[in-house]
Every structure is written in C-alpha cells, then in structure tokens.
Amino acid sequence: MTYAHRVTSLGIMILMSISATTCAASATATTTLEQTIIPVAVPANSPKILPNEVSKFSKYGYGVWKAGDGIPYEKRFDLLPKAYEAEASKTKKVANLLRFFSMSDIHITDVQSPAQTINFGMQAQPGMSSAYSPTIPYTTHVLDAAVQTVNLLHKKQPFDFGIFLGDAINNSQHNELRWYIDIIDGGNINPNSDPKSKPSTDYMRPYEARGLDKTIPWYQVMGNHDHFWSGVEIPNDYIKQTVVGENILNMGDIIKANKDDLNSRGFYMGVVDVNTSEGKVINFGAVAGYSTPPKVNANAQRFIVSRNQWIAEFFNTVSNPIGHGFSQDNVKTGFASYTFEPKAGLPLKVIALDDTDCDTCKLGNGALGYLDKDRYDWLVHELDKGQAEGKLMIVAAHVPVGVSVPGFSMFDSASSPKEDALIAKLHNYPNLIMWISGHRHFNSVTAMPSPDANRPELGFWVVETASLRDFPQQFRYFDIVRNSDNTVSIFTTNVDPVVKPGSPAAKSRSYGIATGAIFNSWPPYSPSGAYNAELFKKLSPEMQEKIQKY
C-alpha cells in the first residue's frame, strides 16, 4: 500500500482543563446517559471554508453545539440464543464485579514541531483530518479535562483502574510523551516547545494539571502514533534530524503521487503560529512559493523516541503503578505487551496487547493492525493460561478486530496470522469476554458471536473508545456485573469531559465539531457520537459455578 493510501486510511480511521481557569471547583460530571452534545448544522447558505480558517467559524456557523437528551443503555443479546432475550427481564443484577474507564487516541501534539504533517490536511481532502485539525493546539487541555472528569466520577463511585488504549502522542516525540504523562501525574504543564518564545495565547500558557486521583491505578497500551512518525512510517535520518532542528519539514506531494517516498521534496509541512489566538497555520505549501526556507527555533527534547524509550518513560512517573503495566524486561526488549489482574480476589485478567506494526521490520501498513509470530504466540499463551486458571479475560489493544471501513480491513494482510485466523482462534476461549480498543476515533460495539450455536459462551464483544482529539471527544467507562442467572452484563457508558465555556478545552470541542462539518467526517451514532449499551455474555458452566461466589 502506498504512503498516500496509508495516510488516507489513517485519516478515515481517525477521521479540558478543569483547573482554576477552566472550571469551578464545584463542577459535577454527568454522562451521556443524562445529556449529550449535539452539533448544530452549518447554515445552508454558509460558504465552504478550509480547516485553517478558524477566524471564520463563528461568522458562518461552524462549531456550534447544543445540549441534547441522554442516551439510555441498549440491551444487546447478540451473543446469546434468541430465546434468551425473553428471559432476560427475569434476571437481576446481583454483584458489581469490576468498574474501569478507558481513554484512547489523545494525540498530544507539539504544534511548534517542524516535522508534523499539517500540510496534508489543509485542503479538507476526505480522510485527511488526521493530518490537520484546528483542535491540535488544545490536546493537552482536553486530556486534563478528561482526567478531571474521571476524578469527579470516581468520587461518586470508585473506579478499580483506568486504561489508555494507545496513540497517547501524535508524532512519537519525547516532549509530547512527557506532557502526556505529566498531565496524568499532575503538575505544571508548559505546552510551549519553543525555548526562545513566551506566547501569551490561552492554549500556550503554562497551567497546573490536577492529575488523576492517586487511588486509581492506570495502565498504558501502545498505538501506532506512539512509535511511528505521523503514525505510519519508520522515520529516516532526514526526519529525525528535522524534528529536533530549525528547518520545517520539506516533503514531496506523496498524497497525489501515490508514492511511499520519504526522500521526496516539494512542500513545507507548516507549523502553528502560537501568537495567534486562533492557532493559525503558517509556513506550509509549495517550496516554490518561498524565497528562503522557513524555520523554527530548534529543541533537542523533540527527539523521536524508540519503542524502548517510549516504554521506559512510563517509569518516570509519580502515579500508580510505576511502569503503568510495563516491566523492565519490556524496556530492554521493546516488547510492549503484558498482563495484569486489576482486582484482588476477582478471577479476571487483562491482556494488554501491542497489535501495531513492527517498527524494526515494517512489514505492513503502519496505520493498520498487525501481529508477528512472537506476539501471536505470546497472546495464545496468555489466553491458554487464563482459560486453564479459570479467569475471565479482556484483551486491551490499540487496533480493533472484526471491524472495517469501506475499502479495507483494520488489520494488515501482512499480519501473522491474518485477521480471520486470529478471530477464529479467539473463538476457542469461552472466558474471553471483550476486546477493547481505540484507533478509529469513534465509539462502536461489535458482536463476535460464537461459530458454534450450541456453545454461545465462545462469543465475545469488541468495544471501541472514541478519540479525545476528534468529535465526539469522549471516553467511556465499563461496569461488569454478575446477573442472577450467572451471565454477566457489561455496561459501557460514554462521557463528555466537563469544560467551562470559553476555556481552551471548550474551544477544542467547538473546533472538533467544525472539523466534522468541513471534512464531512461525522462518527457513527450521530448526532452525538455516543453509544451506551448493556452487553450480555454467557459464561461456560465452569465459570458460572465459579462466579456464583462473587
């Protein structure tokens, strides 16, 4: 697949700070069960505008939203025999087994970096909002708001843990990763990466991140943007030198050329002018239009991290657990998969799986799901072990399985095994209840029914969490509950981060909605993009007997 197809496919797939300056201390968090965010349609007589024309958004009605009604849980019986639906009304919720939240695709972005791919998104081409969206100056603020919203929900009913499902950062840069971890840890955040400037715009001013409640352990999954340049390519020496230097990246028109060539030249990729209130993009477009090459102030801390360096950074933290799931062995080997058991005494384990492409071999498309033999063998070993030990299992990965968008599958054909064979293998484990993921930047729930009608317990759910970068900018939480008939119900609930009107996070919400209109990239379950469901799962006779104790 060409680089153009890779970037386009990534665009199709991926289509606030609650501090003293953004939200009152008395703020309360609601979920989409109570209220939703509904985009207001752009007036029919408004002109088409480009994504960088932020100053025109308000004038022409882009980015407007209103509060909408809440969305109740849809009962989903897809994995069970038809007769069960009539019996479900007789079941009662007996015990709350586990409660956790998931966030994904935060894409913390250094908008002053000379090596982002902003130019590719400037013309509002279909699928290219992944290259540029006017939300990018606000990514740190949105994460801070989401973390503070989790804290508010935690006060109402405690979470057992949280898990972040990959694409923590946008361009695999060290400074982006530090902002990300520091926001979750809590402390002073300075989103300015220019060592020689002190912009006063609201999105660039230093602020104090409250941090995730220290009683909530959080775990991390690797995404393609965490270790690939722009989420798709192994960076060559030119990109590595450019990202820490002063010259803005000069790249060929690889979208139109359909050519996977990082050595081509012809277009400057652009940066955000952080002295403009609307975050205007400058220094992009054809090289021929510039008499001298555009420059920025260099910063050595923008360096691109290796897989090993990315993992190691999660040990430089003040929140729990140290390493956030990773071990020192993961640091040494670069193998980014691990398991953990989130609740003492509960027979359930989470398998955190790295299903992104291999950044040393790059056999396939860096934007798609991929397993090599080592990771597949490890996954099978952990599934076998969990089944033998009588533990329910959740796979947490960046890329979902069993879903697709028009034109291609989410899993690369270079994967070993291929996606169909992987799913067939997963159907051998009755204790597998869920595969959770991000990557596509929207909420979705997909049933993977058992291939054997006589053994419905072999089915599992695929649950995707939206991005904090693109509308609807939501996270979700899960409640796993034992029913009186010893099935389990998985309640999955979407949450809009709490934002204060006029705050950077609130602006990001508006700009995300404007981006949806400009690129015509609305998520499923429109208009709100939210989807709440109760997912029923039948257990094996052995697990039904075991789960009765809980």
Side-chain angles (χ1 to χ4, degrees):
M1 187 178 277
T2 65
Y3 182 84
H5 287 143
R6 293 174 189 181
V7 176
T8 302
S9 70
L10 180 60
I12 294 171
M13 286 186 288
I14 58 172
L15 196 97
M16 262 183 172
S17 160
I18 305 177
S19 63
T21 60
T22 60
C23 187
S26 60
T28 58
T30 59
T31 74
T32 57
L33 292 170
E34 294 88 30
Q35 180 179 289
T36 52
I37 303 300
I38 306 296
V40 175
V42 175
N45 61 349
S46 290
K48 299 289 185 183
I49 62 177
L50 295 176
N52 189 36
E53 296 180 304
V54 176
S55 62
K56 298 180 181 180
F57 285 3
S58 177
K59 179 179 180 179
Y60 294 117
Y62 285 81
V64 181
W65 61 272
K66 62 183 180 181
D69 294 336
I71 298 172
Y73 293 116
E74 179 182 354
K75 292 182 181 291
R76 296 283 298 270
F77 303 102
D78 312 43
L79 304 185
L80 299 174
K82 260 195 172 307
Y84 181 82
E85 188 169 345
E87 297 294 319
S89 61
K90 301 176 184 178
T91 65
K92 296 179 180 179
K93 310 307 175 191
V94 175
N96 296 321
L97 301 178
L98 190 69
R99 180 177 174 86
F100 67 96
F101 72 85
S102 65
M103 290 188 197
S104 193
D105 297 86
I106 292 91
H107 288 273
I108 296 294
T109 303
D110 176 7
V111 297
Q112 296 159 291
S113 168
Q116 302 281 358
T117 57
I118 294 173
N119 179 70
F120 293 143
M122 296 304 292
Q123 301 306 312
Q125 295 168 291
M128 294 310 299
S129 64
S130 60
Y132 170 72
S133 165
T135 63
I136 61 176
Y138 304 92
T139 51
T140 69
H141 301 278
V142 177
L143 175 59
D144 185 38
V147 166
Q148 296 308 314
T149 305
V150 167
N151 291 344
L152 293 171
L153 293 170
H154 183 63
K155 290 179 181 178
K156 294 181 180 180
Q157 185 176 348
F159 290 107
D160 293 302
F161 72 98
I163 190 161
F164 294 80
L165 296 170
D167 283 1
I169 56 180
N170 191 62
N171 208 37
S172 63
Q173 293 180 199
H174 173 259
N175 64 319
E176 292 176 336
L177 184 55
R178 275 313 331 158
W179 288 334
Y180 172 77
I181 296 172
D182 291 345
I183 291 166
I184 304 174
D185 276 357
N188 185 262
I189 304 298
N190 183 4
N192 175 19
S193 74
D194 183 341
K196 296 183 179 180
S197 73
K198 291 184 179 181
S200 60
T201 45
D202 59 352
Y203 56 88
M204 294 304 292
R205 286 196 293 266
Y207 65 94
E208 190 77 13
R210 299 283 182 84
L212 186 66
D213 188 303
K214 293 298 189 287
T215 65
I216 309 174
W218 63 274
Y219 299 85
Q220 183 67 48
V221 171
M222 177 173 276
N224 53 300
H225 276 260
D226 295 321
H227 64 108
F228 282 138
W229 172 71
S230 195
V232 292
E233 292 289 352
I234 299 172
N236 60 12
D237 288 341
Y238 170 63
I239 290 173
K240 288 180 179 179
Q241 293 164 8
T242 300
V243 75
V244 296
E246 62 177 11
N247 295 308
I248 290 178
L249 184 65
N250 179 353
M251 186 66 62
D253 192 356
I254 52 183
I255 304 299
K256 289 183 179 179
N258 282 335
K259 191 175 183 181
D260 185 2
D261 185 5
L262 298 186
N263 295 311
S264 64
R265 304 287 177 263
F267 291 84
Y268 292 121
M269 292 295 105
V271 294
V272 169
D273 180 354
V274 298
N275 292 303
T276 59
S277 61
E278 69 273 20
K280 190 170 184 60
V281 177
I282 57 173
N283 296 332
F284 69 94
V287 170
Y290 290 81
S291 57
T292 58
K295 296 180 182 294
V296 298
N297 290 318
N299 185 346
Q301 292 305 307
R302 293 184 180 127
F303 69 88
I304 289 177
V305 293
S306 67
R307 177 184 289 262
N308 306 69
Q309 290 170 319
W310 185 87
I311 296 170
E313 206 64 40
F314 288 91
F315 288 83
N316 184 8
T317 181
V318 296
S319 51
N320 298 310
I322 301 299
H324 300 290
F326 298 111
S327 68
Q328 287 296 339
D329 190 56
N330 293 129
V331 175
K332 292 175 184 176
T333 64
F335 188 83
S337 299
Y338 59 89
T339 68
F340 66 97
E341 296 183 18
K343 191 171 183 178
L346 179 69
L348 183 147
K349 80 170 182 176
V350 178
I351 301 171
L353 174 68
D354 170 22
D355 66 347
T356 63
D357 203 350
C358 171
D359 61 354
T360 55
C361 53
K362 190 69 168 37
L363 294 179
N365 177 353
L368 296 181
Y370 175 88
L371 289 180
D372 52 30
K373 186 176 185 302
D374 287 346
R375 280 180 283 170
Y376 176 68
D377 288 347
W378 177 88
L379 173 63
V380 170
H381 171 77
E382 293 299 334
L383 290 166
D384 286 343
K385 184 179 177 184
Q387 190 66 41
E389 293 175 347
K391 294 175 182 174
L392 299 177
M393 294 180 285
I394 298 170
V395 174
H398 182 61
V399 183
V401 292
V403 302
S404 63
V405 295
F408 59 90
S409 165
M410 287 296 99
F411 253 72
D412 200 292
S413 59
S415 179
S416 178
K418 292 185 173 15
E419 185 180 27
D420 287 348
L422 171 60
I423 293 171
K425 185 65 177 177
L426 295 172
H427 277 310
N428 289 322
Y429 300 97
N431 287 3
L432 175 62
I433 61 173
M434 226 179 358
W435 178 297
I436 61 173
S437 61
H439 194 52
R440 294 204 293 169
H441 285 214
F442 53 71
N443 300 301
S444 185
V445 174
T446 304
M448 304 297 290
S450 168
D452 184 347
N454 295 317
R455 298 193 65 194
E457 67 269 20
L458 296 178
F460 63 95
W461 294 99
V462 176
V463 182
E464 299 169 73
T465 297
S467 168
L468 289 186
R469 179 187 188 272
D470 298 319
F471 181 77
Q473 291 186 327
Q474 293 168 345
F475 63 93
R476 67 162 80 241
Y477 65 83
F478 297 81
D479 289 292
I480 302 178
V481 176
R482 178 173 78 83
N483 297 321
S484 56
D485 61 357
N486 293 317
T487 59
V488 294
S489 285
I490 305 164
F491 290 88
T492 178
T493 311
N494 282 127
V495 183
D496 293 302
V498 177
V499 300
K500 179 182 177 181
S503 68
K507 290 182 182 179
S508 181
R509 176 178 290 170
S510 175
Y511 294 171
I513 290 169
T515 299
I518 292 168
F519 284 88
N520 192 27
S521 57
W522 298 113
Y525 309 115
S526 289
S528 72
Y531 181 64
N532 302 322
E534 179 183 3
L535 313 175
F536 286 84
K537 159 78 178 180
K538 186 176 178 63
L539 303 181
S540 67
E542 296 80 10
M543 280 308 295
Q544 288 188 47
E545 182 177 354
K546 190 170 188 176
I547 211 72
Q548 286 182 32
K549 302 172 185 177
Y550 298 90

